Amino acid sequence: MKHKMSLKLAIPLMAMSAHLMTGCGNGDATSNTAKTDTVAVADGYDDNFVVEAQSFADLQLLRYQVPGFNSLPLQQKKLAYYLYEAALCGRDIIYDQKSKEGLLLRKTLETIYGSYTGDKNSPDWQLLQTYIGRVWFSNGNYHHYSNEKFVPECAYEYFVATVKASDTTRLPKNAGESTDAFLARIKPVVYDAKYKPKAVDLRPNVDNIVNSANNFYEGVTQKEVEKYYDAFDTKGNAPSWGLNSKVVKENGKIVEKVWKSGGMYGAAIDKIAYWLEKAAGVAENEQQKKTLELLVQYYKTGDLKIFDDYSIAWAKDTESRLDAVNGFIEVYLDAIGKKGSFESTVSLKDMEETKRLEAIAKEAQWFEDNSPIMKEHKKDTVKGISAKAITVIVESGDAAPSTPIGINLPNAEWIRKEHGSKSVSLSNIIHSYNVASAKGGMAAEFAVNDEVLQRMKKHGSLASDLHTDMHECIGHASGKLNPGVETTDKTLKNYASCLEEARADLVGLYYIYDQKLVELGVMPSLEVGKAGYDNYMMNGIITQLTRLKPGEQLEEAHMRNRALVARWAYEKGKKDSVVTLVKKDNKTYVQVNDYQKLRVLFGELLKEIQRIKSEGDYKAGKNLVETYGVKVDPVLHKEILERFVKLGMKPYRGFIQPKLVPVMNDDEITDVKIEYPDNFYSQMMEYGKNYAFLPVTN
């Protein structure tokens, strides 16, 4: 199986942990709780920096600092600025990828928000403003996590009135189209929840392509697409066929519309390539320059073999202080796991935090050799894992506003096997989560007893960090396919993402309760592992349900993965009461009674999921996910939601991005300043003005 995605960890709910995504406060969409909009901090973390910004709907906006940026030499500041611009120039693409009407909707909402002349204090305006914020947060009108379509809570008649009280000349109308005709055309896009209801539909026994609203396929069925790609040779060192294209039917024939200069998304891609070329001109070293030049060639040609060359060069660039992910990377948005969503993360290396990751990465072969998986599924030689902590400078596309906390790339299985990979932990993102999480009450509400609560407070952050590190460094890099087995987009199909994330999670879980980590000096005792087990089981069975609405099932790959792992271990350990659900004061809690036996269970499940991947066993994979990773107990869910709402927290978090501002002397950059905006709405309007390069129909 070829794992075609990097880890994009959906932050699990955990109090006192960097992985907590719940927010604090209920402020309205225009409140400005942070007041350091253009203040540059010192090169360390500023303890007075206000992390929390606006909140609305189920979302809390945070901010993050970029310690170390001010101390960079001018050449590296220029490099950062050029990569920053390249990242933001691709922003239009993700809107169009999530929905064919995504840019039409966004430009309509930008027109309303920027030119409406009516009462902006009315309850209806507040409801519409919340909807606008949700669209910006999700890069479209499909929830960033559940992929369910959402609609405004204000009446359609009010929406019509706001449009007509705005500058209608700025609306994305067709040539000669009246405002009334335009409104009639977009009504189902905005208000009909049954019109293209899901961005990604992973249900079994349906056509997952036809039923998904994303813009990766048009006029084709899942069988037609699978037959089309079955003709491609995916054995050996084959490219990730289909990663950078839309599949359509023209004159009865299936063709690909490639995302490249001169092709689909060409106007935005040309801007990205322009800034990448400037970045190559100030690269830190020859390897980084070569990497950036290959990325430009890939964007200009759309040639996936060049993308592989770029990926190999990128993995080998381990010396540069600054780095960037830029391209069509993640495949979560494609129900059959082929098409990459645009994203970019620009960063600089966190020298101190990197030490912990390097200690783990250096022992990758030991972890592989001592894994509980079958011998024939182990790699004889684990190659080239480089690990580091990074300080994020900016994120865009599918990485923003909701961000990963860990990334492992490249995705191509053969590149990872022959050339290695990079694993990174996003240290300043985690820092902001930690600061915000310290104010939450999740642990106090859901921890089964004071012993567990105190252990989570003492060791929870480190446990989460270590689990992420191992998920990245050794999880995704471990194991191998049996000879002749096809890639997972062909073998495991719509279950591939969930099963791969479960496999990597299980590697981290198995080793976080191993004395080896104490010997390496990365954790003080196995108490850290206990904290990790307490949290994972609590989250997988209970607390992640706070993100779902009543009646919903688990849809998102990471939520399914955590439920699968936790519920399977709970069910398989029932005979020995390894994990129990206990009731106290009519509240349900998860209690781990035997940590060593739980570790054994994690090892058994890891062995089975690795077998499924190595052998391409679709039937067994489907059975695991559908049995343990999808269904929700409605009675337990109702209880958890009632407990959670009393905490006054938000189940999802995302970030307002820092802003890089060049200081100019004529045409020469003499310095680059960093600013920390505190208004999400203002930033989205600024982005819409400065980085809109694509038409509404692509």
Side-chain angles (χ1 to χ4, degrees), residues 429-450:
I429 295 294
I430 292 171
H431 176 82
S432 284
Y433 280 132
N434 278 339
V435 171
S437 299
K439 302 174 184 178
M442 286 291 289
E445 175 59 38
F446 291 103
V448 64
N449 55 44
D450 189 62

Side-chain angles (χ1 to χ4, degrees), residues 236-538:
N237 297 358
S240 301
W241 301 119
L243 185 69
N244 64 334
S245 66
K246 177 180 177 178
V247 175
V248 300
K249 190 179 289 184
E250 293 181 351
N251 300 318
K253 183 179 179 181
I254 292 179
V255 297
E256 289 183 297
K257 297 176 68 176
V258 179
W259 308 328
K260 64 174 183 174
S261 178
M264 189 171 178
Y265 303 142
I269 287 172
D270 286 344
K271 294 289 186 180
I272 297 170
Y274 167 81
W275 289 106
L276 290 174
E277 287 178 324
K278 292 182 74 69
V282 292
E284 297 179 52
N285 50 60
E286 286 302 312
Q287 183 64 34
Q288 186 179 62
K289 181 179 181 181
K290 174 185 176 182
T291 300
L292 291 169
E293 289 174 343
L294 283 167
L295 181 56
V296 171
Q297 288 181 41
Y298 162 61
Y299 271 133
K300 289 184 175 182
T301 64
D303 188 336
L304 285 168
K305 292 182 179 179
I306 296 177
F307 179 71
D308 284 346
D309 293 339
Y310 153 75
S311 298
I312 293 167
W314 180 82
K316 291 180 178 179
D317 179 15
T318 59
E319 300 300 321
S320 299
R321 179 80 192 278
L322 273 79
D323 202 356
V325 171
N326 189 303
F328 306 111
I329 310 295
E330 308 290 356
V331 296
Y332 300 113
L333 192 56
D334 181 2
I336 63 170
K338 292 184 183 297
K339 307 299 177 183
S341 302
F342 174 81
E343 71 170 74
S344 184
T345 298
V346 180
S347 63
L348 60 94
K349 188 174 182 179
D350 183 329
M351 309 303 287
E352 187 61 33
E353 288 294 317
T354 293
K355 294 176 183 177
R356 184 186 69 241
L357 281 85
E358 288 179 339
I360 293 171
K362 287 178 181 177
E363 296 293 330
Q365 191 65 57
W366 184 92
F367 289 117
E368 184 79 353
D369 293 343
N370 289 275
S371 172
I373 65 176
M374 297 166 66
K375 183 178 180 181
E376 55 266 36
H377 298 155
K378 294 181 181 181
K379 288 180 178 176
D380 297 328
T381 304
V382 180
K383 293 184 178 179
I385 298 177
S386 66
K388 62 180 178 179
I390 61 172
T391 300
V392 176
I393 297 172
V394 72
E395 295 180 297
S396 76
D398 202 33
S402 180
T403 171
I405 55 170
I407 300 170
N408 184 279
L409 288 170
N411 291 323
E413 191 80 22
W414 70 268
I415 295 178
R416 302 163 73 84
K417 180 181 178 182
E418 296 183 14
H419 301 280
S421 61
K422 282 185 188 177
S423 295
V424 299
S425 174
L426 284 58
S427 63
N428 59 334
I429 295 294
I430 292 171
H431 176 82
S432 284
Y433 280 132
N434 278 339
V435 171
S437 299
K439 302 174 184 178
M442 286 291 289
E445 175 59 38
F446 291 103
V448 64
N449 55 44
D450 189 62
E451 178 185 355
V452 168
L453 176 61
Q454 295 309 316
R455 184 161 55 224
M456 292 173 88
K457 287 182 176 181
K458 185 175 182 180
H459 300 297
S461 291
L462 179 58
S464 295
D465 291 346
L466 284 170
H467 183 253
T468 302
D469 295 346
M470 290 186 290
H471 180 126
E472 298 290 0
C473 293
I474 58 177
H476 285 304
S478 66
K480 66 180 181 181
L481 303 180
N482 287 359
V485 173
E486 291 279 11
T487 52
T488 55
D489 58 319
K490 288 187 175 181
T491 58
L492 304 182
K493 302 179 181 180
N494 51 311
Y495 298 104
S497 295
C498 172
L499 290 167
E500 176 59 23
E501 297 308 321
R503 191 184 70 87
D505 260 7
L506 285 161
V507 172
L509 289 168
Y510 185 77
Y511 283 116
I512 201 173
Y513 200 64
D514 195 303
Q515 192 67 26
K516 178 71 171 181
L517 297 189
V518 180
E519 295 171 6
L520 290 176
V522 297
M523 74 180 191
S525 70
L526 292 183
E527 287 295 296
V528 177
K530 288 183 178 180
Y533 281 14
D534 289 330
N535 171 66
Y536 198 94
M537 295 302 294
M538 180 180 77

Side-chain angles (χ1 to χ4, degrees), residues 89-134:
C89 284
R91 178 174 178 261
D92 273 358
I93 296 174
I94 188 64
Y95 278 87
D96 196 75
Q97 288 181 318
K98 288 199 77 171
S99 167
K100 188 175 181 179
E101 294 98 356
L103 288 171
L104 174 73
L105 175 62
R106 196 194 81 200
K107 292 177 186 293
T108 301
L109 298 180
E110 288 171 349
T111 297
I112 296 171
Y113 191 81
S115 67
Y116 175 59
T117 58
D119 181 7
K120 293 187 177 181
N121 294 310
S122 71
D124 279 331
W125 174 258
Q126 297 301 319
L127 292 174
L128 181 55
Q129 184 175 243
T130 293
Y131 173 76
I132 293 171
R134 294 185 70 192

Side-chain angles (χ1 to χ4, degrees), residues 426-683:
L426 284 58
S427 63
N428 59 334
I429 295 294
I430 292 171
H431 176 82
S432 284
Y433 280 132
N434 278 339
V435 171
S437 299
K439 302 174 184 178
M442 286 291 289
E445 175 59 38
F446 291 103
V448 64
N449 55 44
D450 189 62
E451 178 185 355
V452 168
L453 176 61
Q454 295 309 316
R455 184 161 55 224
M456 292 173 88
K457 287 182 176 181
K458 185 175 182 180
H459 300 297
S461 291
L462 179 58
S464 295
D465 291 346
L466 284 170
H467 183 253
T468 302
D469 295 346
M470 290 186 290
H471 180 126
E472 298 290 0
C473 293
I474 58 177
H476 285 304
S478 66
K480 66 180 181 181
L481 303 180
N482 287 359
V485 173
E486 291 279 11
T487 52
T488 55
D489 58 319
K490 288 187 175 181
T491 58
L492 304 182
K493 302 179 181 180
N494 51 311
Y495 298 104
S497 295
C498 172
L499 290 167
E500 176 59 23
E501 297 308 321
R503 191 184 70 87
D505 260 7
L506 285 161
V507 172
L509 289 168
Y510 185 77
Y511 283 116
I512 201 173
Y513 200 64
D514 195 303
Q515 192 67 26
K516 178 71 171 181
L517 297 189
V518 180
E519 295 171 6
L520 290 176
V522 297
M523 74 180 191
S525 70
L526 292 183
E527 287 295 296
V528 177
K530 288 183 178 180
Y533 281 14
D534 289 330
N535 171 66
Y536 198 94
M537 295 302 294
M538 180 180 77
N539 186 36
I541 295 175
I542 287 183
T543 52
Q544 73 169 357
L545 298 181
T546 59
R547 296 178 170 184
L548 301 178
K549 296 177 182 178
E552 289 184 342
Q553 292 190 331
L554 294 164
E555 297 277 354
E556 198 275 336
H558 297 89
M559 292 184 75
R560 284 184 165 191
N561 132 48
R562 291 190 290 269
L564 187 165
V565 171
R567 290 173 177 175
W568 186 95
Y570 167 69
E571 293 292 339
K572 298 302 179 182
K574 268 187 175 180
K575 179 181 177 182
D576 297 324
S577 297
V578 177
V579 179
T580 53
L581 298 183
V582 300
K583 282 276 192 179
K584 296 191 296 184
D585 300 324
N586 293 318
K587 294 181 178 181
T588 306
Y589 299 89
V590 177
Q591 180 168 305
V592 179
N593 300 308
D594 192 321
Y595 294 92
Q596 183 56 41
K597 285 186 178 180
L598 181 56
R599 185 190 188 220
V600 172
L601 288 171
F602 287 147
E604 291 175 0
L605 183 56
L606 172 59
K607 180 181 179 180
E608 172 60 7
I609 293 182
Q610 181 62 60
R611 183 199 67 77
I612 289 170
K613 176 180 179 178
S614 296
E615 297 178 2
D617 190 343
Y618 174 82
K619 183 177 179 180
K622 175 183 177 181
N623 183 61
L624 267 182
V625 176
E626 293 293 336
T627 302
Y628 300 102
V630 177
K631 299 178 179 65
V632 174
D633 180 341
V635 176
L636 176 62
H637 190 200
K638 181 174 183 292
E639 175 203 321
I640 300 307
L641 290 177
E642 289 173 350
R643 292 164 66 181
F644 180 70
V645 74
K646 294 177 181 178
L647 299 177
M649 303 169 73
K650 302 290 186 182
Y652 298 99
R653 287 178 173 176
F655 287 89
I656 299 172
Q657 302 300 315
K659 181 179 181 179
L660 297 190
V661 181
V663 178
M664 306 297 296
N665 182 9
D666 294 327
D667 294 331
E668 182 65 26
I669 296 177
T670 59
D671 196 7
V672 178
K673 301 293 186 182
I674 189 164
E675 298 176 355
Y676 297 102
D678 63 5
N679 190 301
F680 177 66
Y681 283 69
S682 297
Q683 182 166 84

